Structures are given as structure tokens and as C-alpha cells.
Amino acid sequence: MTFIPPPAEELRFLDAELRRLDAHRAQLLARRAWLVSVLQSAAPGPATPPFGGPAPATAPRPEASAPRVQNVLLVLGGVLLTIAAMAFTLVSWGHLGIAGRAAVLGTVTAAALAAPVPLLRRGLRSTAESVAGLGLALTVLDAYALHEAALADTDGTAYAAVAATVLAGAWAAYGTALGALRLPRPAALAAAQLPLLLTALAADAGPHGISAALLLTATADAAAALLVTSPALRPVRIAAAIGAYGTGGWGLLGALWLSWTAPDPGAAARAAALLLPASAVALTAAWRIAGTARTAEPGRTGVTSATSATSGTDAPATSGTPSPALPSFSPQPLTTALLGALVLLAALGGVLRVTLPGGWAVPAQLLGALALLTAPRIPRMPEQVRHGVAWASAAVQGLALLWALPLVAVALFGPFGWADRPWSGGPADARDAVTVHAPWLSHSGPALAVLGLLAGALALLVRNATWRQRALAGAAVLAWAAALSVPAALELPYVVGLLLLGLLTVAALALPVLPPTGTVLALVTSVDLAFLALADRTATLTALSALTVLYAAASTRSRLAPVTAPAALAYATALACATGAAAGWQAPHTALLVLVVPAVAVAVAPRLATTARVACELTGAVAALVAVGLAVTDAPMLALVLSSLGVLAGATATQPDRRAAGYAAATLFALAAWVRLAAWEVTAPEAYTLPVTVPALLVGAWRRRRDPLTGSWTAYGPGLAVTLLPSLAALWRDEGWPRPLLLGSAALLITLLGARHRLRAPLVLGGTVLVLTALHELAPYLVQFADALPRWVPPALAGLLLLALGATYERRLRDVRRVRDVLGRMS
């Protein structure tokens, strides 16, 4: 009987079979596609079967394409033929007659120039280019042969100029006739670089004529690069651009050198006549390039042939084909505009240099650069050209500023020369005051004019909201530099110079533009004023007093206090030292006057903000070090100064956030006591240590009372060690009995107190010192006892000791553990 499955089971069976058939069909189709791709592949390569079959053997991939190999062979062939023609012309020329020479060269040249025509018809463009290059090279040899055969008496340079002109025209006509060739027209443009230069050399036109020839050639190149807009003439545009930059660069270098070395206004004017047209050409080219790029920018498609000429890429002839988007800010117009503006300013500077005396050419040149900033206001000027002109003006301004900086350096750093000759007598005027160790500059007037012009330009011309504040700050710095240099430049009286510096300090502090800038300028000016006043005693005292009062008053403004408060204390310190020196006091007595500054700092600092407070405290600490340095030669006075500083440190420690100053106070008091004892010629160490031990033990007891968990080593260890250890060291050098008796008694008392209160530090320190003191006192008797014993007694005693230790080892260990437990339970 035939089994007929249920419908659902049969349906599942059919679906499974269909899926299996589909999978097998997909494998077969994949295999078929792989076989077709292998058979149709043009470049053999490694092929992998789609499902695990072995890969067929393939040949290695070639490293150079067929077109590249073809081009290399054609170029090599053309070069070899050209070399052969040159060898024939130069070596074998003399073996032929006139007719033979003409026939050979004419035939070979005509054949080489005519051969590209059939080659182009057959589609062999690369071969045609190579043969055409050979024909162009042969025309050069024809020109050389013609000169050697028939025109040998003519001037070689003039003949080369005429030949270059004829060749340039002939090559251009040949390239136009055979428009499919790319080489002839760029070659014609390259040959066109020579006629004017060779003509100038033949006519002995001099440097001006040679520079003019180069610049005229570069102008023609620039016109060709801008006016040739056809995509098919891209090689011509490239050659023209290279010629414009290369030839124009050499021409500009020559014209700039003529302008820089011009001995009189006439020579400078002739150099400027070369530079001004070159500048106009560069600016016009930048405008044209930027304008063309801007015109092509919005569309993003249909780039015209003019845009293609400026961007240096081939554009399709049809307007509907998309092309890559041009950058919104191309560097080429910017660079060209920058070059044109710099050449214009250089032409102006060359004329001004020989016209204006005494360095005034620099301010006049700066005026020209500032006037150039108005050029970007011209309507419809492209953004790239505007930026290039602005950068050129900025470059000239920077050079002018560098030229004026030496004057500022002399005025700023010259007063420091009075540091090694204080109160040696006031100078005759402000210029003598700043030239103690440096010579004065001859161009001070023009340098001041440069600083003023730059300051005014920054303040008036920069209107951008982002840069406005920075420009005002820069203008303030430049104006400050000019004002700082005015007294010396005008040779004002010495006192007038001091007054002007003081007024400049006040004005800088009140400057509303960028407060940090004004504060820094005021601080620098005040330092300059302080050193400049060192020339005279009265001027020094007056200046330091005024600066102290000024900065103390300015410290009431919270934004200035972090700088002005420390400055006031610093000037007060200098005033105290100067007052003591003026009164004829010795340095240790002047230290007492300097102590007023740390006292004021301790009193004022808590009322200031955090930053100003820290700066004020640091300045007070520096003043304290100055006081210590002044008093170091007088021990009693040094002790007084140290104790006074300890009082100030203790007053600072009363503030909740300055508790750490208490350690400094204790240290200062201890140092003061030690210095006083040294002044009294006290040599006993206990006199130095006990004044430290007693306060340290009191502080330790107070700390344990507030914090019972504080260990005895922390509370009492330092205080006890300060006295016990130095006394123990002195004990071994002391032969008397009072110190061992007192030290032993104190050590015994400390040991008993440690045992009574179960404190580890007193117990260990006191016990150790007590044992060592006892050994010191018993040492002579032990030595006598050792001398009385026979030699064998010490080894025997050592052996017995070892036996006893070995016999009672376990009991001793138990005792040690018990002692350790007892000490561990102590604090």
C-alpha cells in the first residue's frame, strides 16, 4: 500500500526541496559568473574561486602601463635624435659645402616639422609631439648654423635676440596651425622670455634697462596667463604663469636693489619708475584672479574657461557638467596682492630714503603703509586682495616698530645703570640719566614719531568688536613707550623727567583699557622711576615716598590690590633702607626701621582678598628677610629683630586659617634666644635647649589634653629630645660632676613620670639617657676593674653568659613578650 502523508507534512517536504534547489542554483550561478570574469579579464591577476576551488596560475602584474612606456620611449628617441643633430651641426658641419649644409638642415628640419601632420591623422599624437619637439630643436640649430655660416661677423647677443623673436613667432604660428599639438605654443612662450633681455644686453642698457626688460617680459606673461582662457591652452597658461613669476621675480630683485642703493633722488625715481608698474600689474592680476574665482564660486557647476585659467585645471567645454567647487579663499590672489602692495611701498621707501634726512624716511614710509589701509575701502575690491594689501601694510608697520624699539630699550633699561653708583650726583638732563652705560641713538625724533603713528593707527583704525579691546591695549603700550622716551629724546631737565615718569605711572594706573595692561605698565614705569632717582639722595627719598603712598592708595581698589599692595610694601622697604642710609645709621639699626613693613603687612593682609593677601604676606616675608640680612652683623640687634618677627608671626597665627604661622613664631623665638645667648658667650647647650624644651612640652601637654589620642612621641618626644640628647653628647666631653648629676636626676624623673603615666616616649628617652649617664660615671671604675682581671676571665665570663642565656632562653623570651605587651598598652 502506498503511504500518502498528511497535507501539512507534504507541504513542509516540498518547501525543503525547493530551498535546496535554490541554494544549488545560486552556487552554480556564482561559479558561472566567476568563470566569465576570468575569461573576460584584460589584466591577469590572482583569482580566487567562489567556493574553495584552486586558484588558476596567473602572470605577475606589470609595474608600468603601456602609455607610460610609450611616452618614455618617445622622449628618449627625441632626445637622442636632438643630440645627434647637435653633434652633426657642431662636428660634421665643416665637411660639407654651403649647398650641402643648406640641403641637409633644410631637408631634416622640414621633414621633422611636416611629420606630425600624417601622424596626427593616424591618431599617433604622442609620436607627433616627440617629432615636433625634434623639429623645434632643429630650428634652433638652424639659427645657430646660419650665424656661423653667413652672419659670423654680427654681434652674437643681438643676433640671439632676433633669432629668439623669429623662433617665438614661428613656433607660435606652427602651434596654431597644428592645434592638436601641445608643445609648440608653450615653447614659443618660453622663447619669448629672451628677446627683450638679450636686446637690453646687446644695447648695454645697464641695470635699469635689464630690469625694465625683465619686468616688461613678465608683464606680457601675466597678460597671457590672464587673457588665455581656452581649456585647450592650459599648457600655455601654465608656461605664462611660470614666466611671469620667474622673470618678474628677477626683475623685481634688480629694481629693488637699484632702489636700495640709489645715491640720489634721480636714481631712486628711476628705480621707482620700474617698481610702480610692476606693482600695478601684480595688483591688477590679483584683482582679476580673485574676481574670476568669486564669479565662478556660487554656481558650483558650469565653470567657465576664465575660471579654468585662474584655477589651473581643465574645465569641460559644456556648461552642464559639474566641476569641483573652488575654495572660497584662494591663496594665489592673496599672495599676488601682498607682493604688489609691498613693491609699491618699497618704491615709495626708496624715494623717501634719499629725500628725507635723519631717519625721517621711516615715519614717512609708515604713513604710506597706513594710507594703504584705506585701499580696501575701494568698492567691489575682492576679499583676497583686501587681505593682501592689509598684510603688506602690517608687515611695514612691524618693520617700523622694530626700527624704533632700540630707543625704547635705552629709555627703559638705561636707569638701571645707577644701581652701582647711587647718590653720585644728579645728571645734567634726562638723556644723561639714561645713558650711564649705553650710547644715545641719533634717530630718536623719528622713532618717537613711529611710536605715535602706530599708537594712533591702532586706536583709530581698528573697529572690529573682537579686536577693539586688544587694539586699544596695544595702542596704550605704544603710547606709553613713546611717553617713556620723551624726556630723554627732548633732553628735558632731570627733575622734569622724574616728574613726567611719576605722572606716567599715575596715568597708567588709571588706564581704563584692559586693567592688567595698565597695572603692568604702571609697575614697570615706577621701577624705572625708582632706579632713575638713585642718582640723587633727595630724589630717591621723594620718589620712594611718593610711590609708596601712590600704591597704598591704589590698593583700595580690589582689582588692583594683588599688584599694588605688594608694590607698596616693596617701595616701603626700599624707603626704609634709603632713610636709614640718609640718616647715617648703621645697617643693623636700619633693620629696625625695615621691621615696620612686615608689621604693616601683618596688619593689612587680613583685610584683603585671597590673592592680594597671599601676595602681601609674601612681600612682608621678603621684607623680614631684608631686615635679618641687615642685622646679621650685630648679634644683639639680630636677636631683637628675630624676636620681633616672632611676635609678628605669632600675631598672624591667631587667625584661624594661619595657624601654621605658629611654628614659624616658635622657630623665630628660639633663634632669637640662641643669638642672644651666643652674644653673651654662653657655651652650655642646656641654655640653648631648655628655652625650646619647656614651650614644646607645654604645647605637647595642651595638645594631648585637647586630643587624648595623640601619641607621646608626637607630644613629648621632640621637646625631650631637644634637651636630653645635646646634654648627653656634652656629658661625654665633660669631666665635672654637676652635669652628670643634673642630667641623671632629670632622666630618672622623666623615666618615673613615663612609668607612672604609662607614656612610651618619656620612659624610653629617660631610661636610655639614665643608663648612658650611669655608664659614663662608672666607665673609669670598669676600666680599672678590667685591668685588674686576668686575661682569661673575660672569655670565661662570656662563655658562662652564653650558657646561662641558652639555658634560660624560653623564660627570657616570655619576659620580653611581657615587657612588650606592657609598653604596647602605654600611649
Side-chain angles (χ1 to χ4, degrees):
M1 296 179 62
T2 303
F3 174 73
I4 300 176
E9 185 67 24
E10 186 176 2
L11 181 61
R12 285 194 295 273
F13 175 74
L14 292 176
D15 290 339
E17 284 296 321
L18 290 174
R19 286 194 296 271
R20 187 180 64 80
L21 290 175
D22 289 340
H24 186 61
R25 185 173 183 276
Q27 291 179 354
L28 294 176
L29 290 175
R31 181 69 178 182
R32 180 181 181 279
W34 177 77
L35 292 173
V36 171
S37 65
V38 170
L39 293 175
Q40 294 181 350
S41 177
T48 303
F51 38 80
T58 58
R61 187 182 184 90
E63 296 181 356
S65 63
R68 184 171 299 177
V69 174
Q70 166 195 305
N71 293 334
V72 171
L73 294 177
L74 291 175
V75 170
L76 289 177
V79 170
L80 291 176
L81 287 175
T82 304
I83 293 174
M86 292 175 61
F88 170 76
T89 303
L90 298 175
V91 178
S92 301
W93 182 256
H95 300 289
L96 299 176
I98 297 178
R101 300 171 188 173
V104 171
L105 282 179
T107 302
V108 175
T109 303
L113 293 176
V117 177
L119 291 175
L120 290 174
R121 291 175 183 174
R122 294 177 178 272
L124 302 177
R125 181 174 175 178
S126 299
T127 305
E129 293 282 0
S130 298
V131 177
L134 174 61
L136 299 181
L138 288 175
T139 57
V140 177
L141 295 177
D142 289 339
Y144 170 75
L146 178 62
H147 178 268
E148 293 297 324
L151 302 173
D153 296 334
T154 60
D155 180 61
T157 306
Y159 176 80
V162 175
T165 305
V166 174
L167 289 177
W171 291 354
Y174 181 71
T176 304
L178 299 179
L181 295 178
R182 296 183 178 181
L183 180 61
R185 282 172 289 195
L189 190 61
Q193 308 299 308
L194 299 176
L196 290 179
L197 175 61
L198 294 175
T199 301
L201 292 175
D204 197 13
H208 289 83
I210 294 174
S211 298
L214 292 173
L215 292 175
L216 285 175
T217 304
T219 302
D221 292 334
L226 294 174
L227 298 178
V228 175
T229 57
S230 174
L233 298 178
R234 179 171 177 263
V236 178
R237 295 196 309 272
I238 295 176
I242 294 175
Y245 282 108
T247 308
W250 284 109
L252 282 178
L253 288 177
L256 290 172
W257 176 255
L258 291 174
S259 177
W260 180 260
T261 58
D264 52 59
R270 290 195 299 271
L274 297 175
L275 294 174
L276 291 177
S279 172
V281 170
L283 292 173
T284 304
W287 193 309
R288 175 69 181 270
I289 296 170
T292 306
R294 184 177 59 181
T295 302
E297 172 67 19
R300 299 290 184 184
T301 58
V303 180
T304 63
S305 58
T307 303
S308 176
T310 59
S311 62
T313 58
D314 285 331
T318 60
S319 61
T321 306
S323 63
L326 291 172
S328 60
F329 193 86
S330 176
Q332 185 180 1
L334 172 65
T335 306
T336 308
L338 172 63
L339 177 62
L342 287 177
V343 170
L344 176 62
L345 293 174
L348 175 63
V351 175
L352 294 175
R353 182 183 60 83
V354 296
T355 305
L356 299 178
W360 286 101
V362 178
Q365 177 83 348
L366 180 59
L367 282 175
L370 295 177
L372 199 61
L373 291 177
T374 61
R377 303 177 184 271
I378 298 176
R380 294 182 297 179
M381 176 178 282
E383 182 182 2
Q384 296 93 329
V385 179
R386 184 182 301 112
H387 280 81
V389 172
W391 277 109
S393 177
V396 174
Q397 294 176 47
L399 292 175
L401 178 60
L402 290 177
W403 180 82
L405 283 182
L407 173 67
V408 182
V410 172
L412 181 62
F413 299 107
F416 291 94
W418 292 102
D420 60 348
R421 52 178 71 182
W423 298 352
S424 57
D429 51 45
R431 180 175 297 183
D432 290 340
V434 299
T435 54
V436 180
H437 297 299
W440 184 249
L441 305 177
S442 60
H443 57 269
S444 57
L448 285 177
V450 167
L451 295 174
L453 289 173
L454 290 176
L458 285 177
L460 299 177
L461 298 181
V462 179
R463 296 297 182 183
N464 185 278
T466 304
W467 292 91
R468 180 63 178 168
Q469 290 297 319
R470 300 176 185 177
L472 291 178
V477 173
L478 292 173
W480 166 82
L484 187 70
S485 307
V486 162
L490 300 181
E491 296 185 89
L492 298 178
Y494 173 67
V495 177
V496 175
L498 294 178
L499 292 176
L500 288 179
L501 288 181
L503 293 176
L504 184 59
T505 304
V506 176
L509 279 177
L511 190 66
V513 180
L514 290 179
T517 303
T519 306
V520 172
L521 293 180
L523 186 61
V524 173
T525 310
S526 63
V527 172
D528 218 38
L529 173 60
F531 275 94
L532 195 64
L534 284 176
D536 183 74
R537 178 184 304 178
T538 304
T540 301
L541 297 176
T542 304
L544 292 177
S545 301
L547 290 175
T548 302
V549 173
L550 174 63
Y551 278 98
S555 300
T556 57
R557 303 168 65 179
S558 58
R559 66 180 180 84
L560 300 179
V563 176
T564 56
L569 294 176
Y571 286 124
T573 303
L575 177 62
C577 295
T579 302
W585 295 355
Q586 295 181 353
H589 295 87
T590 304
L592 297 178
L593 190 58
V594 175
L595 284 178
V596 177
V597 178
V600 173
V602 171
V604 172
R607 298 181 176 86
L608 301 176
T610 303
T611 305
R613 179 183 183 183
V614 173
C616 189
E617 290 173 345
L618 291 177
T619 309
V622 173
L625 290 177
V626 172
V628 171
L630 292 173
V632 73
T633 57
D634 189 340
M637 193 61 67
L638 179 60
L640 179 59
V641 170
L642 291 174
S643 60
S644 302
L645 293 176
V647 172
L648 296 178
T652 303
T654 58
Q655 303 170 23
D657 56 344
R658 292 292 188 269
R659 299 300 187 192
Y663 296 103
T667 303
L668 289 170
F669 282 129
L671 290 176
W674 292 350
V675 171
R676 172 54 66 182
L677 291 173
W680 287 339
E681 299 182 356
V682 175
T683 58
E686 290 79 8
Y688 295 87
T689 57
L690 286 177
V692 179
T693 296
V694 174
L697 293 178
L698 294 176
V699 172
W702 172 75
R703 183 172 180 179
R704 277 184 58 86
R705 185 175 181 180
R706 293 189 59 185
D707 185 9
L709 296 180
T710 303
S712 61
W713 284 111
T714 303
Y716 304 118
L720 293 175
V722 165
T723 293
L724 292 178
L725 297 182
S727 299
L728 183 63
L731 175 66
W732 291 92
R733 301 190 304 269
D734 191 1
E735 298 180 357
W737 60 270
R739 177 174 280 114
L741 178 61
L742 294 176
L743 182 60
S745 302
L748 177 61
L749 179 60
I750 292 171
T751 304
L752 295 176
L753 290 175
R756 170 69 180 80
H757 297 282
R758 297 186 177 183
L759 299 175
R760 185 180 303 174
L763 183 61
V764 173
L765 287 174
T768 302
V769 172
L770 181 61
V771 171
L772 293 176
T773 302
L775 288 176
H776 174 267
E777 293 302 311
L778 294 177
Y781 303 102
L782 292 177
V783 171
Q784 295 177 2
F785 179 72
D787 291 339
L789 290 177
R791 296 292 181 94
W792 55 268
V793 173
L797 293 177
L800 291 176
L801 178 62
L802 292 176
L803 290 176
L805 289 175
T808 58
Y809 184 75
E810 184 177 0
R811 184 169 59 87
R812 299 300 183 189
L813 287 178
R814 185 176 63 251
D815 295 340
V816 171
R817 293 192 189 97
R818 185 179 303 166
V819 172
R820 185 187 63 188
D821 294 339
V822 171
L823 291 175
R825 288 192 296 270
M826 295 181 181
S827 57

